[in-house]
């Protein structure tokens, strides 16, 4: 198992760290503590900055081996930009990722990081630590040939003037980072080793954090009339599961906030089989369920003050002799009949039953589903934004605000009665596909049939869940997108009775 990066906060500089890290602004100025430490080296900062092209911008670095007067092996000076520039959690998270990357490249095992900017808010220190923890993530469990002798950072100590409130903020931020890492782990797992029951088992391991976990099997789902999720799963030797997770951190009887995740552990497209090229990526088609799992772990770890429900709709879409077919008519739990146009439009089917079950049983104050649902969203938005579709515009506004704060950005796209014309069926109440134009909105409109009167938003993460270009906080194929977004949403709009 890879070693987790240890991160702590102290007011006292540790004795003899492997590396010492100082920050300088765009003017080349350091805080008082950092400036005092640099002075002990006897070096001319202006001359070295000029020689190395260091201007204090983010990403700039001065690296000095065996500096005199400090008792450490390496001294790194990192740029943090102009004062007041990027003083938000997302920017400090990126700063933490960049910090880890530079220490890793330098072969440093542990470092003391001097953070003596005046009035540095605890949540920004937390974001710095979370960014470093996220950048440290590697998925290497199946590599049998590893590089020998490589040294990676294992411990960071943030040195601050006043530690009051810092540890709590760091713990909170790391809870979210670790939830994101759990989601990444699940998305990165190969499908032969992560089926519906395996994901349910992961959910069950979180019971020791105070989460209540139920797992519904195919017999129970059949009794509930969940014909949609059962149809999707009937072609696989690994039957579907519906996982219900509850966190009760709010007032007793207070309606919960609900999160529903699409969990197709592998998607061949079924009888409407996908092209072979890049089909291996379909092990990540459970990215929505992975995000809900990571979120529920985060809420429980940081003891969030709200009631929350997480539901995972887990199935495998395979094309065996028992698989559902184009032209079939199935009945969802809601009683609505669905004509199958494409068996590759399966995510909306498993969500149909999960959403109906959630609103019917829990009567949530608001309900959010998250899914790698359509290729159309990638065409519309690229890799920077996930799409939001909702029956309550205020939810889209809350999600966009949370996305800006967390760095997991979303964009509001339309649904409405006009899209119903595109899913009218000759043989059933609706059909599960409506053509190529407006595909992401059509999928959102389909889902709106299964939410009742509950305020609801659908987040399509097919463009952001995996396969993105590397960022300051992630070099993995899987991103864990959605955990930080939803955690920020709960903090800003729903905790403490909100």
């Amino acid at each position: 198992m890879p070693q987790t990066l240890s991160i702590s906060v102290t007011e006292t500089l540790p004795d003899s760290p492997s590396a010492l890290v100082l920050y300088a602004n765009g003017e080349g100025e350091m805080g008082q503590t950092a400036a005092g430490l640099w002075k002990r080296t006897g070096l001319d900062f202006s001359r070295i900055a000029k020689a190395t092209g260091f201007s204090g911008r983010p990403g700039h670095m001065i690296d000095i081996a065996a500096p005199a007067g400090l008792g450490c092996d390496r001294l790194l000076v990192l740029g943090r930009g102009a004062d007041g520039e990027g003083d938000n959690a997302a920017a400090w998270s990126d700063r933490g990722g960049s910090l880890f990357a530079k220490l890793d490249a330098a072969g440093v095992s542990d470092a003391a990081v001097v953070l003596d900017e005046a009035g540095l808010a605890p949540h920004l220190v937390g974001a710095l630590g979370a960014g470093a923890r996220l950048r440290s993530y590697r998925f290497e469990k199946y590599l049998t040939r590893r590089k020998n002798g490589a040294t990676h950072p294992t411990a960071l100590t943030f040195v601050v003037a006043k530690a009051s409130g810092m540890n709590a903020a760091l713990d909170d931020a790391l809870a979210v980072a670790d939830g994101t890492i759990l989601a990444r782990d699940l998305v990165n797992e190969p499908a032969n080793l992560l089926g519906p029951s395996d994901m349910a088992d992961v959910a069950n391991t979180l019971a020791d954090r105070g989460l209540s976990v139920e797992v519904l099997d195919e017999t129970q789902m059949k009794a509930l009339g969940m014909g949609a999720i059962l149809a999707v799963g009937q072609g696989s030797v690994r039957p579907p599961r519906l996982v219900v997770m509850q966190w009760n951190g709010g007032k007793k009887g207070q309606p919960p906030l609900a999160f529903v995740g699409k969990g197709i552990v592998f998607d061949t497209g079924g009888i409407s089989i996908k092209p072979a090229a890049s089909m291996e990526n379909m092990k990540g088609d459970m990215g929505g369920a992975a995000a809900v799992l990571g979120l529920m772990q985060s809420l429980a770890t940081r003891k969030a003050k709200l009631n929350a429900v997480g539901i995972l709709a887990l199935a495998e879409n395979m094309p065996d002799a028992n698989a559902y077919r184009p032209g079939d008519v199935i009945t969802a739990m809601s009683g609505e009949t669905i004509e199958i146009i494409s068996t590759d439009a399966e995510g909306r089917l498993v969500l149909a039953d999960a959403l109906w079950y959630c609103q019917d049983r829990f009567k949530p104050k608001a309900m959010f589903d998250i899914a790698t649902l359509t290729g159309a969203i990638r065409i519309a938005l690229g890799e920077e934004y996930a799409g939001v579709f909702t029956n309550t515009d205020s939810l889209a506004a809350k999600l966009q605000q949370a996305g800006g704060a967390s760095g997991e950005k979303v964009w509001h796209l339309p649904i409405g009665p006009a899209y119903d014309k595109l899913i009218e069926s000759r043989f059933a109440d609706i059909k599960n596909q409506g053509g190529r134009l407006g595909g992401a909105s059509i999928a959102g409109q389909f889902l709106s049939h299964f939410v009742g009167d509950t305020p609801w938003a659908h987040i399509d993460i097919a463009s952001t869940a995996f396969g993105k270009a590397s960022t300051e906080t992630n070099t993995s194929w899987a991103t864990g997108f959605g955990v930080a977004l939803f955690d920020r949403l709960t903090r800003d709009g729903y905790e403490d009775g909100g």
Side-chain angles (χ1 to χ4, degrees):
M1 292 292 291
Q3 186 169 3
T4 300
L5 176 67
S6 171
I7 305 174
S8 59
V9 177
T10 180
E11 295 179 1
T12 306
L13 189 71
D15 294 331
S16 303
S18 295
L20 184 61
V21 179
L22 312 177
Y23 276 101
N25 67 12
E27 302 299 321
E29 298 170 340
M30 303 181 193
Q32 184 176 355
T33 303
L37 290 167
W38 176 271
K39 187 175 182 180
R40 285 160 57 179
T41 68
L43 298 171
D44 185 332
F45 182 80
S46 296
R47 182 179 180 187
I48 290 176
K50 183 177 180 180
T52 59
F54 180 87
S55 67
R57 293 203 304 269
H60 281 204
M61 178 176 71
I62 296 172
D63 183 3
I64 298 172
L70 292 177
C72 59
D73 296 329
R74 304 290 281 270
L75 173 63
L76 278 68
V77 181
L78 303 183
R80 61 176 177 83
D83 287 341
E85 178 183 39
D87 282 340
N88 57 68
W92 276 86
S93 182
D94 281 350
R95 208 165 282 167
S98 177
L99 166 65
F100 180 89
K102 293 185 184 325
L103 293 173
D104 192 32
V108 169
S109 61
D110 64 283
V113 183
V114 177
L115 299 174
D116 58 356
E117 290 93 340
L120 185 61
H123 77 279
L124 297 181
V125 174
L128 185 72
R133 176 76 64 83
L134 288 168
R135 183 60 181 264
S136 73
Y137 174 77
R138 296 178 177 86
F139 188 80
E140 298 178 338
K141 64 189 291 187
Y142 300 115
L143 299 182
T144 60
R145 294 186 295 275
R146 301 175 185 273
K147 295 179 181 178
N148 294 321
T151 299
H152 300 294
T154 58
L156 295 181
T157 303
F158 296 152
V159 184
V160 299
K162 292 183 179 180
S164 177
M166 296 289 187
N167 281 300
L170 179 62
D171 288 345
D172 262 13
L174 292 181
V176 183
D178 289 344
T180 300
I181 286 171
L182 171 60
R184 288 180 186 175
D185 272 343
L186 292 167
V187 174
N188 279 327
E189 277 286 343
N192 62 314
L193 298 174
L194 189 73
S197 292
D198 301 304
M199 279 199 73
D201 289 344
V202 174
N204 273 319
T205 65
L206 300 181
D208 61 3
R209 296 179 185 242
L211 288 163
S212 168
V213 182
E214 305 167 60
V215 180
L216 306 186
D217 62 20
E218 62 271 36
T219 300
Q220 292 166 298
M221 287 188 280
K222 186 174 182 179
L224 289 166
M226 294 184 174
I229 187 172
L230 289 169
V232 173
Q234 71 189 42
S236 173
V237 296
R238 301 189 291 183
R241 294 288 184 266
L242 191 83
V243 177
V244 181
M245 310 174 73
Q246 296 183 65
W247 169 251
N248 295 312
K251 296 177 182 177
K252 186 175 182 179
Q254 188 177 57
L257 202 61
F259 302 91
V260 179
K262 171 190 170 185
I264 302 297
V265 296
F266 194 79
D267 182 20
T268 66
I271 298 298
S272 308
I273 197 163
K274 293 178 179 291
S278 300
M279 195 194 289
E280 68 274 12
N281 291 340
M282 288 300 96
K283 71 176 188 176
D285 208 19
M286 31 58 69
V292 172
L293 252 175
L295 171 71
M296 297 305 289
Q297 174 182 285
S298 298
L299 295 178
T301 300
R302 65 178 184 81
K303 308 298 182 188
K305 293 182 174 67
L306 84 162
N307 298 328
V309 172
I311 293 183
L312 319 179
L314 307 174
E316 183 172 41
N317 191 22
M318 299 291 281
D320 87 344
N322 195 46
Y324 73 132
R325 296 156 290 252
D328 285 359
V329 174
I330 63 175
T331 303
M333 183 185 176
S334 66
E336 195 157 9
T337 57
I338 305 167
E339 180 189 4
I340 304 304
I341 301 301
S342 170
T343 62
D344 194 24
E346 85 299 325
R348 65 200 69 182
L349 298 177
V350 301
L351 287 173
D353 279 344
L355 287 167
W356 187 264
Y357 175 82
C358 182
Q359 62 84 33
D360 183 58
R361 175 179 171 184
F362 293 105
K363 307 297 188 294
K365 66 174 68 177
M367 182 166 61
F368 302 86
D369 79 74
I370 182 167
T372 51
L373 207 65
T374 68
I377 203 68
R378 183 181 292 270
I379 301 302
L381 298 179
E383 296 181 340
E384 289 303 310
Y385 289 80
V388 171
F389 308 82
T390 181
N391 62 5
T392 307
D393 286 348
S394 62
L395 294 185
K398 287 183 177 182
L399 284 163
Q400 287 184 293
Q401 183 177 3
S406 67
E408 295 187 339
K409 296 178 288 188
V410 301
W411 195 258
H412 188 188
L413 293 168
I415 58 173
Y419 291 100
D420 273 329
K421 296 179 181 179
L422 301 176
I423 53 174
E424 289 178 353
S425 168
R426 178 180 298 178
F427 303 106
D429 296 326
I430 55 174
K431 57 186 180 182
N432 77 327
Q433 196 175 59
R436 296 185 64 189
L437 300 180
S441 289
I442 291 169
Q445 185 65 22
F446 178 94
L447 293 177
S448 73
H449 283 243
F450 303 95
V451 302
D453 296 326
T454 304
W456 153 83
H458 157 60
I459 299 93
D460 191 337
I461 59 169
S463 56
T464 57
F466 52 77
K468 289 181 59 178
S470 294
T471 67
E472 291 288 6
T473 56
N474 186 43
T475 59
S476 165
W477 181 74
T479 65
F481 187 101
V483 178
L485 171 70
F486 282 154
D487 185 86
R488 189 77 259 164
L489 176 78
T490 65
R491 289 174 190 263
D492 292 346
Y494 294 98
E495 292 191 37
D496 293 313

